[in-house]
Amino acid sequence: EGGWNGTSMAGPAVSAVVALLIEADASLTVDELEEIIMNTATPLTDGEYPESPNMGYGYGLVNAYDAVSTLITGLGTLEGQVTKEGDDLEAPTFEHEAPVETYAGMALDLTIQVSDNISVASVELQYQDANGDDHTVEADRISGDYKAGEYAVSIPGDHIDGDSFTYQWVINDFGNNEVTSDEYVVAVEQGITVGYSEDFESAATGWTLFGENNSWERGVPTSGPGDAASGENVYATNLAGAYDSSANATLMMPPIDLPEGESYLQFNQWHELEKYDSGSAYDFGHVFISTDQEEWTQLLRVEGLTDSWESAEVDLSEYSGQRVYIGFNLTSDGSVTRDGWYIDDVALSDTSESSSASLGVVPGKGLALGIANGNGKAKGLNKGNNGKAKGLNKGNNGLGLGLINKGDKAALKDKVDPAKIVPVLPIKEKPPVEEEVINPTLLPIGAQVSVIESGRSVNTDPENGNYSLLHAAGEFTVQAEAYGFHSDQQNVTIAADETTEADFTLEEIDQYTVSGTITDEATSEMIEGATVLLVEDANITPVETDGDGNYSLTAYEGTYTLKVLASGYHGTEVEVNLDGSDATVDVALEPFYTVPGGEIGYDDGTAENARAFYDAGNGWAVKMSLPEGEESGIVTDGVFQFHGTDWPSPGGTEFAVEVWDATGPDGTPGEKIAGPVDAEATRSLDEWTVVDLREHAIQVEGDFYMVYIQTGANPN
């Protein structure tokens, strides 16, 4: 049926594991069964969910072997490190641009790019605070990997005062090669005051972000109002779409030193926040003020939708003569988001521009969302009193989008008390983490460690070569293997509730080179631009012959299939043995003796329907048959038609093309012949997308499949 997924697959799998557990111990309670299954699950993570358990994969993949083993033999932990011999003698490198200035009492965020040939072990920031106390703070990697990444650290505002702030970076790698940067000196300004203005056309010094699901960003808006109140740039909760659910996100101004007397905060704003015609609001914008960055007071609350950019003013006179901190805060609940809050042209003045510059609520307009009753299930959206709605109904028994009764949704959600909302405070400084110094004569490997008898395996962390595996107790054979290395085995005894260590140092496999010349079989002329590859090892990048037809490939010791492809020639394969020495392999290609072929048409280009997949990697395969009497052919182009830019929205233009033979059961796709070939879609119902495949020399024998592969996920 094409496979099972979701609860349709998880339900029976977990039920089967429960049955095995009850067979092993019929006295287990439901709570005990649940605890065993969760504790023995194989954690699953990715870039979006780096920790386990998480909201993407829960506790992970159910593990029947470990679950039952907890009752039969008990579980122990197998851990260790996989390395190779060598010295880490190369020190890490870095790039860092220090800020020119900052503000006293304001947190200072710093980033640095660090690279190393083996692994970055630690990145620390050292500085002295306003009281003369020394601090060392461990920086967090926020992007990249263990070899090349961006690291960030935040200096608490109460550590910054005086005329300047001085700091330096200390970076260490796997082999304990330490690098210390020069000292950076940042000018420290005291607070801003009346007369200050900021239009965000250039970097806004002293403006900082903190909170949960914080999407505030500066730049050119492409959603919401569509443009700035002045100039080009604004600060918005999302420049190109809706803000996040469950947000408590604050954009904070530099510290403000208010003079004695009257003071006013003035700014332009546009907002669209979740609110309904019934008056129920669930997402809010706030202007908060604080004198200590810990206790916050609401000065202004905004709700709903504005028709266009509008001016706003907040009276700050109550805080005359004090240093204050002002934050623009967005708070959202767990569902339904809008385009958000846009801020521009912020100023501090001692003169009011409004006849009623009072604190309070700016209501805006509402949005209505509800559930429509009828023969089918339907959901829809009604925007305010204008009655803009869109919908699709797929029959009496189907699911569809449709018109709704406004205000129904508000009754389904818990009412929020906006008066009790306060910003989520910035995270305080964390103590430095002590790192174990690893033997620099051994370098880490990204390897797989397997228990032969059970088939259980785990990958090492390539950053340090470490691994850890929860496994049934007993005596086993453990094997470590990695690409480019000879595998190694150890016999281990894993005891229940104990940890067994098994370290491996793998020996690199020798490398050899195969080289030669590619020529035309008929004319003996050298062929330039022929593609040469080793079929068995996709890690070895294919090469093209030069102007003299020469090529050269380096591979690990072993026997390979050398494959040669060239436009206008039959492809060929030759066995090559790289066993203890280099090899020379010359290949003569047979040219195609053909007449121009024709076009195999599946469709006339009239759009009846369109499809988009939720996940990347899915595809459509269309079967093609050669003209009558023809037994073989060369695929020169793939021709596709894509829907317009209105659906899916936003969608994309990247896709890939593959060609498969028809050797599967009943003529279904069997083996992949070529691809994936990256391509760019022309999204138009009036124009075909033609993908040139001639350089790949794709030869087909009989029926074959032209395949579209969706390379991007979540197209709308």
Side-chain angles (χ1 to χ4, degrees):
E1 298 185 20
W4 293 81
N5 55 45
T7 54
S8 298
M9 190 64 246
V14 173
S15 299
V17 175
V18 170
L20 292 173
L21 291 171
I22 293 176
E23 184 176 2
D25 185 351
S27 68
L28 291 172
T29 66
V30 171
D31 289 341
E32 289 170 336
L33 289 167
E34 181 180 13
E35 182 179 5
I36 291 173
I37 290 174
M38 289 192 302
N39 289 342
T40 58
T42 302
L44 296 177
T45 59
D46 59 21
E48 184 177 359
Y49 303 105
E51 304 293 334
S52 182
N54 54 60
M55 296 300 293
Y57 306 101
Y59 280 81
L61 183 66
V62 66
N63 188 322
Y65 185 90
D66 280 353
V68 176
S69 296
T70 60
L71 305 175
I72 305 301
T73 64
L75 293 175
T77 300
L78 177 67
E79 65 179 31
Q81 184 184 41
V82 181
T83 57
K84 66 176 182 179
E85 292 185 353
D87 294 322
D88 183 4
L89 303 177
E90 186 175 328
T93 60
F94 68 92
E95 294 181 7
H96 171 67
E97 183 175 351
V100 176
E101 60 183 357
T102 188
Y103 286 91
M106 175 66 70
L108 176 61
D109 296 328
L110 298 170
T111 61
I112 184 172
Q113 295 281 346
V114 181
S115 301
D116 188 68
N117 63 317
I118 302 298
S119 175
V120 178
S122 66
V123 178
E124 296 176 339
L125 186 81
Q126 296 180 349
Y127 67 93
Q128 195 174 76
D129 67 19
N131 297 321
D133 296 329
D134 293 326
H135 296 266
T136 299
V137 183
E138 183 83 15
D140 296 321
R141 189 173 73 224
I142 58 175
S143 65
D145 58 24
Y146 62 96
K147 282 191 173 184
E150 183 178 18
Y151 293 77
V153 67
S154 182
I155 310 301
D158 56 7
H159 286 188
I160 300 175
D161 203 352
D163 296 328
S164 63
F165 176 76
T166 303
Y167 65 90
Q168 64 181 8
W169 297 97
V170 179
I171 305 164
N172 223 314
D173 68 1
F174 185 86
N176 205 25
N177 298 301
E178 185 174 278
V179 172
T180 302
S181 74
D182 294 334
E183 289 189 341
Y184 298 94
V185 180
V186 181
V188 176
E189 304 289 343
Q190 297 305 306
I192 60 177
T193 189
V194 293
Y196 172 87
S197 64
E198 177 59 71
D199 60 8
F200 306 122
E201 294 308 299
S202 58
T205 302
W207 288 71
T208 55
L209 310 173
F210 62 86
E212 297 174 347
N213 294 324
N214 200 320
S215 58
W216 282 100
E217 56 182 344
R218 184 185 69 88
V220 178
T222 58
S223 63
D227 54 16
S230 69
E232 294 184 348
N233 292 336
V234 301
Y235 247 113
T237 51
N238 187 345
L239 292 169
Y243 50 84
D244 290 336
S245 298
S246 303
N248 188 323
T250 301
L251 166 67
M252 189 161 67
M253 296 177 63
I256 303 170
D257 291 327
L258 294 175
E260 298 291 341
E262 295 184 349
S263 299
Y264 301 90
L265 170 68
Q266 297 159 350
F267 59 95
N268 287 320
Q269 66 170 344
W270 184 98
H271 55 80
E272 183 187 16
L273 306 169
E274 185 192 7
K275 185 178 180 179
Y276 302 93
D277 283 354
S278 63
S280 296
Y282 294 91
D283 299 341
F284 305 93
H286 302 89
V287 175
F288 283 103
I289 192 168
S290 174
T291 57
D292 58 7
Q293 300 185 73
E294 293 185 2
E295 299 295 328
W296 296 84
T297 301
Q298 291 185 28
L299 297 183
L300 181 72
R301 182 166 75 248
V302 298
E303 302 174 357
L305 173 68
T306 56
D307 290 326
S308 60
W309 280 99
E310 62 183 24
S311 60
E313 183 172 277
V314 179
D315 190 346
L316 305 177
S317 303
E318 180 183 344
Y319 296 86
S320 170
Q322 300 183 60
R323 164 163 285 200
V324 297
Y325 303 88
I326 289 180
F328 296 88
N329 171 271
L330 172 81
T331 305
S332 63
D333 68 355
S335 66
V336 184
T337 58
R338 304 289 186 233
D339 276 351
W341 198 10
Y342 294 68
I343 306 294
D344 201 0
D345 302 323
V346 179
L348 296 171
S349 176
D350 57 5
T351 304
S352 173
E353 293 183 347
S354 171
S355 59
S356 58
S358 59
L359 313 186
V361 178
V362 180
K365 295 182 178 179
L367 296 174
L369 177 64
I371 298 176
N373 296 319
N375 295 329
K377 298 179 180 178
K379 294 191 291 185
L381 178 65
N382 182 13
K383 291 196 173 182
N385 297 324
N386 294 325
K388 295 179 181 178
K390 55 182 178 180
L392 176 66
N393 190 4
K394 293 189 177 179
N396 293 333
N397 297 320
L399 296 176
L401 298 174
L403 298 177
I404 53 88
N405 298 319
K406 61 184 179 181
D408 289 349
K409 179 177 180 293
L412 303 178
K413 302 179 71 173
D414 293 333
K415 183 63 179 173
V416 178
D417 184 355
K420 295 182 179 180
I421 295 173
V422 294
V424 174
L425 297 179
I427 299 174
K428 298 294 184 180
E429 175 185 350
K430 297 185 296 184
V433 178
E434 294 295 331
E435 293 283 346
E436 177 185 358
V437 177
I438 306 172
N439 183 354
T441 63
L442 297 176
L443 305 180
I445 296 178
Q448 184 179 70
V449 179
S450 305
V451 179
I452 301 299
E453 289 80 0
S454 68
R456 296 287 314 288
S457 63
V458 64
N459 293 326
T460 64
D461 182 348
E463 183 172 353
N464 50 35
N466 294 335
Y467 72 92
S468 180
L469 177 66
L470 193 67
H471 198 278
E475 296 192 4
F476 302 98
T477 303
V478 181
Q479 177 174 280
E481 52 190 341
Y483 175 75
F485 293 85
H486 295 285
S487 61
D488 192 17
Q489 292 185 351
Q490 292 186 35
N491 295 321
V492 300
T493 299
I494 301 175
D497 302 320
E498 294 184 8
T499 297
T500 301
E501 185 171 335
D503 296 328
F504 297 86
T505 299
L506 302 185
E507 180 182 352
E508 291 191 66
I509 301 174
D510 293 333
Q511 289 185 309
Y512 299 98
T513 299
V514 55
S515 59
T517 304
I518 310 301
T519 58
D520 184 309
E521 183 181 72
T523 65
S524 298
E525 293 181 354
M526 307 301 181
I527 300 176
E528 180 180 4
T531 300
V532 185
L533 58 91
L534 296 177
V535 174
E536 289 79 8
D537 195 341
N539 291 295
I540 300 174
T541 303
V543 298
E544 289 189 355
T545 55
D546 60 19
D548 296 323
N550 297 322
Y551 75 92
S552 179
L553 286 168
T554 299
Y556 291 105
E557 182 178 23
T559 300
Y560 298 91
T561 302
L562 184 77
K563 186 172 185 177
V564 184
L565 301 170
S567 179
Y569 294 87
H570 290 279
T572 189
E573 295 182 352
V574 180
E575 183 178 288
V576 57
N577 190 345
L578 299 179
D579 187 8
S581 63
D582 297 336
T584 300
V585 178
D586 298 327
V587 178
L589 296 182
E590 178 188 358
F592 286 127
Y593 299 100
T594 63
V595 295
E599 182 179 277
I600 303 173
Y602 171 77
D603 202 343
D604 63 1
T606 303
E608 289 91 14
N609 211 330
R611 293 287 186 269
F613 295 102
Y614 183 79
D615 295 318
N618 289 307
W620 289 96
V622 178
K623 192 174 186 179
M624 301 290 181
S625 297
L626 296 175
E628 186 175 354
E630 299 293 337
E631 297 182 355
S632 65
I634 302 298
V635 180
T636 59
D637 302 276
V639 185
F640 304 83
Q641 188 174 67
F642 294 87
H643 204 276
T645 55
D646 58 313
W647 187 89
S649 178
T653 58
E654 295 181 353
F655 72 104
V657 177
E658 295 179 352
V659 178
W660 288 61
D661 66 23
T663 59
D666 300 322
T668 58
E671 299 290 335
K672 183 166 68 174
I673 301 172
V677 177
D678 293 332
E680 185 88 7
T682 299
R683 295 181 62 180
S684 171
L685 292 175
D686 299 320
E687 187 176 352
W688 292 94
T689 297
V690 180
V691 182
D692 189 345
L693 301 173
R694 286 172 294 181
E695 66 175 288
H696 302 282
I698 305 172
Q699 182 173 347
V700 294
E701 307 293 336
D703 292 347
F704 66 96
Y705 285 87
M706 180 64 65
V707 184
Y708 156 84
I709 300 294
Q710 179 176 303
T711 55
N714 311 330
N716 60 346

